[in-house]
């Protein structure tokens, strides 16, 4: 795949080889078109801030079904319920903000297939978003969801939905244009894109937290899991564990996309 022609944005399990992921190579699409003008060193011009100025996400209820019910794994039902909540919440938010919303396609697979969204299944990828077909892809296998009872699958689904929001609001186009203009900054720009999706996932989880039957220990464990999934390999595409937690918790506390402006953040905040 060429630098900007990739169609999927993936989430890797902890310890997976970053180089194997479509989002870990220079072949993944992402963010929105930059406006004209130069930026300060180490920063990039922010996209038109329609999503970033859309206000707080309304507090809503999202009944979380069990991932395992009486010893029987129910990941398909779980993901269906979570993506339904995401659609309900974000579509209402877009309507209030005067933004155009389009519901993504959701495809759930019992296990990876040879091809998906018109390309070979990304090697080493778990859940991902196919940008050209506005499709969320969730396999029911892998460390991200198998034998789990924590909040991590919930967060992963919200992260991928964040990529859909980025596409809807032109942020992905911003990313692509910046990469074309400054190819040597590809990985830095990619981290800004992915960390924003982490932040948007935090916004959603913050908006439904009171309806989730979770303890403080559950939330602490989620932060630790996110931290463990930071970039440690050659291809630094998602950000360090510290920064992934920082942006997730920033969105979680603010419950507003306005907290998720990774595009004007200092380089240390997107390392």
């Amino acid at each position: 795949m060429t630098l900007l022609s990739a169609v999927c944005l993936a989430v890797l399990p902890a310890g997976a080889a970053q180089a194997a992921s479509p989002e870990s190579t220079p072949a993944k699409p992402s963010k929105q078109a930059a406006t004209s003008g130069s930026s300060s060193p180490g920063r990039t011009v922010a996209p038109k801030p329609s999503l970033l100025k859309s206000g707080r996400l309304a507090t809503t209820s999202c009944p979380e079904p069990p991932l395992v019910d009486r010893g029987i794994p129910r990941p398909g039902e779980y993901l269906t319920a979570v993506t339904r909540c995401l659609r309900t919440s974000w579509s209402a938010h877009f309507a209030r903000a005067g933004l155009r919303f389009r519901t993504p396609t959701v495809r759930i697979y019992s296990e990876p297939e040879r091809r998906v969204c018109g390309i070979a299944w990304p090697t080493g990828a778990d859940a991902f978003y196919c940008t050209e077909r506005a499709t969320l892809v969730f396999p029911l296998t892998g460390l991200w969801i198998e034998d789990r009872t924590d909040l991590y699958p919930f967060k992963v689904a919200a992260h991928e939905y964040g990529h859909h929001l980025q596409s809807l609001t032109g942020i992905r186009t911003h990313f692509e244009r910046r990469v074309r203009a400054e190819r040597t900054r590809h990985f830095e720009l990619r981290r800004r894109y992915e960390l924003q999706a982490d932040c948007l996932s935090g916004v959603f989880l913050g908006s439904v937290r009171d309806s989730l039957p979770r303890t403080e220990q559950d939330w602490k464990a989620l932060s630790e899991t996110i931290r463990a999934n930071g970039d440690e390999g050659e291809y630094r595409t998602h950000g360090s564990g510290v920064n992934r937690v920082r942006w997730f918790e920033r969105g979680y506390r603010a419950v507003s996309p306005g907290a998720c402006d990774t595009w004007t953040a200092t380089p240390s905040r997107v390392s």
Side-chain angles (χ1 to χ4, degrees):
M1 292 182 283
T2 62
L3 184 63
L4 296 170
S5 66
V7 295
C8 297
L9 293 158
V11 168
L12 291 180
Q18 291 291 319
S21 169
E23 61 182 8
S24 303
T25 66
K28 276 212 167 196
S30 295
K31 255 193 154 172
Q32 163 172 335
T35 56
S36 61
S38 60
S39 57
S40 58
R43 300 194 183 192
T44 187
V45 179
K48 299 235 179 232
S50 56
L51 178 60
L52 300 183
K53 291 187 175 180
S54 60
R56 285 173 59 89
L57 194 62
T59 299
T60 56
S61 176
C62 183
E64 183 190 14
L67 265 169
V68 180
D69 185 15
R70 287 169 290 188
I72 301 174
R74 306 256 182 212
E77 291 91 334
Y78 183 91
L79 291 169
T80 297
V82 172
T83 53
R84 185 183 300 121
C85 290
L86 284 158
R87 179 192 67 213
T88 299
S89 182
W90 283 115
S91 63
H93 183 78
F94 271 49
R96 288 191 297 271
L99 299 171
R100 172 178 278 184
F101 184 82
R102 173 189 173 192
T103 301
T105 300
V106 179
R107 299 181 67 181
I108 297 174
Y109 295 84
S110 58
E111 59 185 26
E113 297 190 356
R114 292 183 60 188
R115 295 186 65 79
V116 62
C117 299
I119 64 166
W121 191 285
T123 303
D126 283 335
F128 51 94
Y129 175 66
C130 294
T131 60
E132 300 304 321
R133 300 191 183 185
T135 299
L136 300 165
V137 178
F138 299 111
L140 302 183
T141 57
L143 296 176
W144 81 280
I145 196 165
E146 285 188 281
D147 300 320
R148 302 193 80 107
T149 57
D150 59 7
L151 277 163
Y152 189 62
F154 198 108
K155 184 269 176 185
V156 168
H159 174 103
E160 297 309 328
Y161 215 96
H163 286 315
H164 181 62
L165 304 178
Q166 289 171 315
S167 285
L168 290 178
T169 55
I171 293 173
R172 174 172 63 90
T173 305
H174 168 76
F175 168 84
E176 292 176 346
R177 291 183 184 174
R178 294 305 299 171
V179 170
R180 279 194 288 267
E182 302 176 68
R183 290 176 182 267
T184 60
R185 294 181 62 200
H186 170 80
F187 291 111
E188 177 209 328
L189 294 168
R190 185 50 172 273
R191 290 193 298 272
R192 292 180 186 274
Y193 182 76
E194 293 292 345
L195 288 167
Q196 185 173 56
D198 277 338
C199 184
L200 291 171
S201 73
V203 170
F204 176 71
L205 267 74
S207 75
V208 299
R209 60 190 171 193
D210 291 340
S211 69
L212 300 177
R214 296 292 186 166
T215 66
E216 286 303 312
Q217 184 58 38
D218 288 323
W219 292 104
K220 181 178 179 181
L222 176 60
S223 290
E224 291 305 312
T225 301
I226 295 170
R227 188 186 307 274
N229 279 269
D231 280 333
E232 302 297 340
E234 178 182 359
Y235 298 94
R236 302 287 323 287
T237 59
H238 281 67
S240 67
V242 169
N243 279 331
R244 294 201 71 178
V245 171
R246 176 181 286 124
W247 284 102
F248 171 81
E249 292 185 346
R250 182 179 172 91
Y252 176 82
R253 289 191 300 269
V255 197
S256 170
C260 301
D261 183 7
T262 57
W263 300 93
T264 57
T266 59
S268 64
R269 296 284 175 160
V270 294
S271 63

